[in-house]
Amino acid sequence: MESESESGAAADTPPLETLSFHGDEEIIEVVELDPGPPDPDDLAQEMEDVDFEEEEEEEEGNDEGWVLEPQEGVVGSMEGPDDSEVTFALHTASVFCVSLDPKTNTLAVTGGEDDKAFVWRLSDGELLFECAGHKDSVTCAGFSHDSTLVATGDMSGLLKVWQVDTKEEVWSFEAGDLEWMEWHPRAPVLLAGTADGNTWMWKVPNGDCKTFQGPNCPATCGRVLPDGKRAVVGYEDGTIRIWDLKQGNPIHVLKGTEGHQGPLTCVATNQDGSLILTGSVDCQAKLVSATTGKVVGVFRPETVTSQPSLGEGEESESNSVESLGFCSVMPLAAVGYLDGTLAIYDLSTQTLRHQCQHQSGIVQLLWEAGTAVVYTCSLDGIVRLWDARTGRLLTDYRGHTAEILDFALSKDASLVVTTSGDHKAKVFCVQRPDR
């Protein structure tokens, strides 16, 4: 999932033809990387028929909306208070994914084990439309950079795209078994990774397609770099590839000791795209220069430093890296582990700064834009806010009766939207005394 700061920025980005991107430069220090002189961008030539013009904000409201009934009594083993403001309860099975529209942050799309995806309004949980036609669990869903399109993808590899204002399906494609899906940060271009090792890129809705062939194993995670010209993809065999989206070739390949000793689980980039952070079931997080393709740092939590090194292809039975990300205001990175450890690392010294323990495994983490606050959701059904400067728990939010499987944060960090194994999505209003 994109960070909220990137999502918010994408909505206000001028047409691609007028943009200039920072050039690559060698990393001298891990912290405070200064951008180089701007280069003219050539991505527009590759996607010359894509319309990058600013779209008007879609009108809100729905004449055919649903009025959700009040949530019924709490069930399951996680009984307790419900801190949420809105509950969306139209799913009939576990809800796997959620994304917010980046332009207005007023709409959510959720997908679930019931083979369904819904676009709904955050303010009251009102349904706008169902993304119908999937025959398998919907595991990926997201809005385009300008919020005009919404894409959904299921485990079998069926991807669909709808026009948000007309609620009409405008494109579909059947790829291989789906591993991940992401929109380009400033173009109506959709990328996805599949179990056959391919990374796909389509222009929507005309369907022009390009494939980036990886090793003969699943492309387990991926992220488009902020410059929009490159993408980093992680694979089940532990390799990492940085792809040139125009030329279609890998710029850098990290494998063997440079790569991971197990399947990759997650990948993130810092704001200017100069650094990449990768995570794996080998319990390592690797800091990679996007310019040179070299590993410039390796992080492991203290709780697993005594474990023996894993052989190639072997997985840790007790732990793995599940999520990671960069702080936008301090030289810090956060790594969340399956054993419930949130590790805050100092990038300037490449040392562990804080370890914050959860009662159960961390599913995902997100940094709040413009602050040193990191949000986590976990298998105990709780959202927690941590001050990365001190390692202190600021507050938590409860309401789910099963594990949280995904969450999203609004641009202004006023709302957290969660999805859960209890078949529900919830909207929490974030209130912090330190703001």
Side-chain angles (χ1 to χ4, degrees), residues 218-258:
T220 52
C221 56
R223 176 65 53 90
V224 182
L225 270 63
D227 64 7
K229 298 188 290 185
R230 297 168 293 165
V232 54
V233 180
Y235 298 88
E236 189 177 68
D237 66 356
T239 61
I240 305 160
R241 283 170 168 78
I242 301 174
W243 292 94
D244 183 315
L245 295 181
K246 178 184 177 182
Q247 301 297 332
N249 61 284
I251 305 170
H252 302 291
V253 179
L254 288 79
K255 58 185 179 180
T257 57
E258 287 287 287

Side-chain angles (χ1 to χ4, degrees), residues 177-181 192-200 212-222 233-237 239 243 264:
D177 292 349
L178 187 64
E179 296 284 336
W180 59 273
M181 180 190 80
T194 51
D196 58 8
N198 284 332
T199 297
W200 302 74
F212 308 90
Q213 188 170 3
N216 190 26
C217 66
T220 52
C221 56
V233 180
Y235 298 88
E236 189 177 68
D237 66 356
T239 61
W243 292 94
L264 272 84

Side-chain angles (χ1 to χ4, degrees), residues 386-414:
W386 303 88
D387 186 338
R389 298 167 300 180
T390 63
R392 182 172 64 91
L393 177 67
L394 295 175
T395 187
D396 59 36
Y397 293 92
R398 303 164 187 254
H400 284 293
T401 59
E403 68 278 7
I404 296 177
L405 300 174
D406 194 14
F407 79 139
L409 179 63
S410 63
K411 286 183 292 188
D412 62 0
S414 64

Side-chain angles (χ1 to χ4, degrees), residues 146-418:
D146 57 4
S147 299
T148 62
L149 302 171
V150 63
T152 55
D154 64 35
M155 289 182 66
S156 71
L158 176 61
L159 297 103
K160 290 177 172 288
V161 174
W162 280 261
Q163 189 83 28
V164 174
D165 56 357
T166 64
K167 308 171 187 175
E168 294 180 353
E169 182 180 327
V170 296
W171 179 84
S172 66
F173 189 90
E174 291 192 46
D177 292 349
L178 187 64
E179 296 284 336
W180 59 273
M181 180 190 80
E182 185 184 59
W183 283 99
H184 190 278
R186 56 178 60 90
V189 171
L190 189 66
L191 290 91
T194 51
D196 58 8
N198 284 332
T199 297
W200 302 74
M201 183 173 70
W202 303 273
K203 287 185 281 187
V204 179
N206 70 19
D208 288 353
C209 179
K210 181 179 289 187
T211 57
F212 308 90
Q213 188 170 3
N216 190 26
C217 66
T220 52
C221 56
R223 176 65 53 90
V224 182
L225 270 63
D227 64 7
K229 298 188 290 185
R230 297 168 293 165
V232 54
V233 180
Y235 298 88
E236 189 177 68
D237 66 356
T239 61
I240 305 160
R241 283 170 168 78
I242 301 174
W243 292 94
D244 183 315
L245 295 181
K246 178 184 177 182
Q247 301 297 332
N249 61 284
I251 305 170
H252 302 291
V253 179
L254 288 79
K255 58 185 179 180
T257 57
E258 287 287 287
H260 285 276
Q261 304 307 303
L264 272 84
T265 55
C266 49
V267 62
T269 70
N270 63 346
Q271 280 193 312
D272 66 6
S274 59
L275 292 173
I276 296 167
L277 199 58
T278 61
S280 166
V281 299
D282 65 6
C283 290
Q284 294 187 7
K286 294 202 171 188
L287 190 66
V288 179
S289 164
T291 302
T292 66
K294 300 298 184 182
V295 175
V296 294
V298 180
F299 305 111
R300 289 175 66 95
E302 292 182 351
T303 53
V304 297
T305 51
S306 61
Q307 291 184 358
S309 299
L310 296 171
E312 184 174 356
E314 293 183 14
E315 300 183 15
S316 167
E317 294 182 359
S318 60
N319 204 9
S320 66
V321 176
E322 295 296 308
S323 186
L324 36 70
F326 292 90
C327 178
S328 63
V329 295
M330 295 180 67
L332 302 175
V335 181
Y337 296 87
L338 186 60
D339 70 353
T341 301
L342 170 66
I344 307 296
Y345 294 102
D346 189 315
L347 296 180
S348 58
T349 60
Q350 298 195 7
T351 57
L352 179 67
R353 180 162 177 164
H354 300 293
Q355 247 182 203
C356 312
Q357 289 303 136
H358 294 64
Q359 296 176 4
S360 57
I362 296 172
V363 176
Q364 190 182 351
L365 66 83
L366 293 171
W367 285 93
E368 180 180 313
T371 75
V373 175
V374 62
Y375 294 58
T376 59
C377 66
S378 60
L379 296 174
D380 59 11
I382 301 173
V383 174
R384 293 176 174 86
L385 280 63
W386 303 88
D387 186 338
R389 298 167 300 180
T390 63
R392 182 172 64 91
L393 177 67
L394 295 175
T395 187
D396 59 36
Y397 293 92
R398 303 164 187 254
H400 284 293
T401 59
E403 68 278 7
I404 296 177
L405 300 174
D406 194 14
F407 79 139
L409 179 63
S410 63
K411 286 183 292 188
D412 62 0
S414 64
L415 298 176
V416 174
V417 187
T418 55

